[in-house]
Amino acid sequence: IVGVPLWWRTTETYRAWLPVSQINELAKLQLQLSADVEVVFARGTVTPEQQKKIPLTQTQDEEHGVDEDTALRYRYETKYRTATIMEEDALNQPTAAEADLSLLTLSESPCGSLVVYIIPQSSSLLPEDVNVYVGQRRTALLRMGPQMRVGKTLEQLLAHLEPRIKQVLQVMSFSHADITAALSDRVRFSPDSKESIADSMRAFKSSPGYEITFSLLNPDPKSHRLHWDIEGAVETYIQPLLTKLSPVANFSLDSQTLHYAMLGVNPRFDSSRSAYTLNADSLAHVINPVEARLGSNAASSNPVLNFLLYVPDANHSPLYIHDRHKQEVRTNAFHSPRWGGIMVYNVNGFYGPEPQFPVDININMAKVMGVFLAQLRLLLGVQSSSPPSDFLIAPCGSAGLADWELDRLMWSRSVENVATATTTITSLAQLLDQIGNIVINDNIAQQVSSAVTSLQLAVGELEAGNLGFALQYSKEAILASEKAFFDPSLLHLLYFPDDQKFAIYIPLFLPMCVPILLSLLKIVSEARQRRREKQAKKD
């Protein structure tokens, strides 16, 4: 009576409470993305009668069913107004870039929102073949087309503007293709072409941090004495981009120089050009031999982006990369999806008529970092969708990233983090439900509850259009969910099945149970004997 309950209590598996009902609600992902758009009419685009009737706000909803457990809803809050006097002065600048800069000094749009200025058809800000100018910030200039002048009423004018503004939104904010690509880990899609497969596989998956490594490969130190100002180049070209990307992830940088590091592929000599070539088919075999020399960053679990600058040895110089059409690649570089990029830097021009080896070579870091910066943008998912032909995209500036490009990346990363964290928490809940002998400690339950709370907040902020808070909560959710899923305490009793329990407890309890059972049987038999004797006396 005392031993069995005591044994049962001391050997039971401790399982803390988990918010299973809330996890099941999150398993059916119903996301709503809300974007704020402000449409400003410049002088000469609307008549005084139309100006009086301009509505303050207009809301448009789009619903997309992805699969049975995932649905997307897009809400566009459009506010209409006329330009102020200062905005009119800014729009009278000689060029669109100057107008964009002047508009920034007047007001700065919050993260995730856009301002579209409607300018007259006769405006000289845009070239004749350009109808939309996308600036470096969160503003765009939209030319009033001749077909929009046909509408006599304000309703017809807004109906003409609606598809054009939607095009601007899909370029500067988010598109359905971007959001569905962010759900690729949760939903299986069938890409329409090889290009779409390559685009979806090129960028790294969302992570709280990334490690970036720059490596200088010098296979012939006896011929080349290389000098590269990697610290100054990173500070000038890479750090502004990483600073702007700080809301998305944390970055750490390091560099190294590797001597006698060969590509592992013998280039072919092209006698017509007196140069060596690497074909596109052989580029896949270049990375593995080099990667063995790069070393591993075992101190961190973050993804590593490798950028290699390879200086060919004197016997294989100059070396050029050819694409699949046998055409020379202009940058003489290539990148590998979710790994990094390699650039070949020819130095045969430094030899002179009678070179004396080793030759001192100062590498042009502006040329190198221009290539690495473009590759870094692709690998981090900062890629602009193909704009329509009448769109003019402004250069991204010294930061290497426009504000609207950052917003576009933040929309995708927020949705990707929410989808990944939801899948992780749901999988953990199913695992713990199926395997009952896994211990659920209080810290595991706390991490799961924290992940669920952060997910609910992230979904709510996306619905409210607060992009910055949504991204922050989604990062907290994915960190908490992965910390709970990969906690080592979940494996303590995972490989302790019931047959092993019997094998352990039977030798312990069987010697005690035999005399106890025999005594119980004897007690039962004696009780029956006394009952029969008592019944006989009554008879």
Side-chain angles (χ1 to χ4, degrees):
I1 292 174
V2 175
V4 170
L6 181 63
W7 166 78
W8 186 271
R9 180 63 179 171
T10 55
T11 58
E12 71 176 353
T13 301
Y14 179 75
R15 296 171 68 87
W17 176 84
L18 296 179
V20 179
S21 60
Q22 300 178 25
I23 294 175
N24 292 333
E25 291 178 1
L26 290 172
K28 292 186 175 296
L29 194 60
Q30 310 290 320
L31 283 180
Q32 176 177 313
L33 279 65
S34 300
D36 293 334
V37 186
E38 192 173 18
V39 178
V40 182
F41 292 96
R43 187 185 298 115
T45 56
V46 290
T47 62
E49 291 77 12
Q50 292 174 338
Q51 184 175 341
K52 296 177 182 178
K53 299 178 181 179
I54 290 179
L56 296 179
T57 59
Q58 191 174 17
T59 304
Q60 297 177 355
D61 291 331
E62 291 184 11
E63 293 187 6
H64 299 270
V66 181
D67 63 3
E68 56 183 8
D69 293 329
T70 308
L72 296 173
R73 184 179 181 183
Y74 307 135
R75 169 165 288 186
Y76 304 106
E77 295 279 351
T78 307
K79 298 179 181 179
Y80 299 93
R81 66 176 178 86
T82 56
T84 61
I85 297 177
M86 292 184 292
E87 287 175 334
E88 291 289 354
D89 293 339
L91 293 174
N92 288 329
Q93 297 290 330
T95 62
E98 293 176 350
D100 185 34
L101 182 61
S102 300
L103 291 171
L104 175 67
T105 59
L106 298 177
S107 63
E108 188 171 356
S109 302
C111 179
S113 63
L114 298 176
V115 181
V116 181
Y117 289 91
I118 310 299
I119 60 178
Q121 185 182 2
S122 59
S123 176
S124 60
L125 283 176
L126 304 181
E128 293 183 0
D129 57 342
V130 174
N131 290 322
V132 177
Y133 175 83
V134 177
Q136 295 182 8
R137 284 84 188 175
R138 299 181 176 92
T139 58
L141 304 179
L142 174 60
R143 188 198 299 272
M144 175 76 80
Q147 68 276 9
M148 299 181 188
R149 304 292 296 177
V150 177
K152 296 181 180 180
T153 65
L154 181 63
E155 290 76 13
Q156 292 174 327
L157 175 63
L158 297 182
H160 282 297
L161 279 176
E162 183 179 336
R164 299 294 290 164
I165 294 176
K166 188 174 180 181
Q167 279 185 322
V168 176
L169 276 169
Q170 291 178 347
V171 171
M172 298 184 65
S173 186
F174 58 82
S175 63
H176 184 59
D178 295 333
I179 303 303
T180 52
L183 298 172
S184 59
D185 284 348
R186 178 184 175 92
V187 182
R188 292 187 176 272
F189 297 100
S190 55
D192 299 330
S193 63
K194 293 182 179 180
E195 287 77 10
S196 58
I197 298 176
D199 290 340
S200 63
M201 294 295 293
R202 179 187 294 118
F204 277 85
K205 287 296 181 183
S206 180
S207 174
Y210 297 93
E211 312 287 334
I212 302 177
T213 301
F214 295 95
S215 302
L216 175 62
L217 307 184
N218 186 7
D220 192 8
K222 296 180 180 179
S223 302
H224 303 146
R225 189 183 293 119
L226 305 177
H227 307 279
W228 69 333
D229 183 17
I230 184 62
E231 186 175 354
V234 166
E235 190 69 26
T236 303
Y237 299 99
I238 304 297
Q239 195 59 50
L241 173 64
L242 301 185
T243 302
K244 203 160 189 178
L245 285 173
S246 57
V248 178
N250 298 321
F251 296 90
S252 64
L253 298 166
D254 54 51
S255 63
Q256 61 182 343
T257 301
L258 301 178
H259 297 289
Y260 301 103
M262 306 297 293
L263 290 182
V265 175
N266 292 324
R268 297 179 180 179
F269 182 74
D270 187 357
S271 57
S272 62
R273 298 193 53 197
S274 298
Y276 291 86
T277 61
L278 276 176
N279 295 324
D281 297 334
S282 61
L283 296 181
H285 307 287
V286 169
I287 295 177
N288 287 346
V290 176
E291 192 174 19
R293 293 288 309 275
L294 296 179
S296 61
N297 195 347
S300 174
S301 60
N302 295 328
V304 180
L305 287 76
N306 297 285
F307 294 97
L308 279 60
L309 181 63
Y310 179 76
V311 179
D313 58 283
N315 296 326
H316 296 91
S317 183
L319 177 62
Y320 298 102
I321 298 175
H322 286 184
D323 58 17
R324 300 189 181 278
H325 302 290
K326 307 301 181 183
Q327 299 294 324
E328 183 179 315
V329 178
R330 183 177 58 86
T331 59
N332 213 25
F334 70 96
H335 72 275
S336 177
R338 299 187 185 180
W339 184 83
I342 298 178
M343 178 181 181
V344 178
Y345 191 87
N346 292 309
V347 297
N348 56 301
F350 294 87
Y351 288 168
E354 295 181 358
Q356 293 182 356
F357 296 102
V359 180
D360 286 316
I361 298 171
N362 291 317
I363 296 176
N364 184 0
M365 297 307 296
K367 176 182 178 182
V368 172
M369 284 300 166
V371 175
F372 285 163
L373 185 63
Q375 293 177 343
L376 179 61
R377 284 169 51 91
L378 288 175
L379 293 171
L380 291 178
V382 184
Q383 53 182 356
S384 305
S385 60
S386 308
S389 59
D390 59 343
F391 274 56
L392 176 61
I393 308 296
C396 52
S398 59
L401 185 71
D403 290 351
W404 60 270
E405 289 181 317
L406 176 62
D407 291 352
R408 191 181 184 91
L409 181 63
M410 290 173 65
W411 283 116
S412 298
R413 289 300 170 91
S414 299
V415 173
E416 183 180 352
N417 290 342
V418 168
T420 303
T422 303
T423 304
T424 303
I425 287 296
T426 304
S427 301
L428 178 61
Q430 293 175 352
L431 177 69
L432 297 178
D433 181 61
Q434 294 174 0
I435 305 178
N437 58 355
I438 295 182
V439 175
I440 306 177
N441 294 325
D442 292 333
N443 63 324
I444 301 294
Q446 182 180 1
Q447 293 294 337
V448 171
S449 299
S450 176
V452 170
T453 303
S454 298
L455 276 172
Q456 293 173 339
L457 291 173
V459 172
E461 296 296 344
L462 282 176
E463 185 174 348
N466 299 325
L467 182 56
F469 289 111
L471 179 62
Q472 183 62 34
Y473 286 131
S474 69
K475 289 166 60 178
E476 295 175 1
I478 199 170
L479 284 173
S481 62
E482 291 187 353
K483 189 174 181 180
F485 191 86
F486 295 106
D487 194 284
S489 65
L490 294 177
L491 299 177
H492 284 178
L493 297 181
L494 185 57
Y495 302 105
F496 194 48
D498 293 335
D499 55 351
Q500 293 187 15
K501 291 182 182 179
F502 286 113
I504 292 173
Y505 289 128
I506 284 178
L508 178 64
F509 286 106
L510 190 59
M512 294 188 297
C513 290
V514 170
I516 293 175
L517 290 175
L518 292 177
S519 299
L520 290 174
L521 292 175
K522 185 177 181 181
I523 291 173
V524 171
S525 63
E526 289 179 353
R528 289 180 178 178
Q529 182 66 29
R530 286 196 298 269
R531 186 180 300 171
R532 284 196 294 267
E533 291 177 356
K534 189 176 180 180
Q535 187 67 28
K537 288 180 180 180
K538 287 183 179 181
D539 294 340

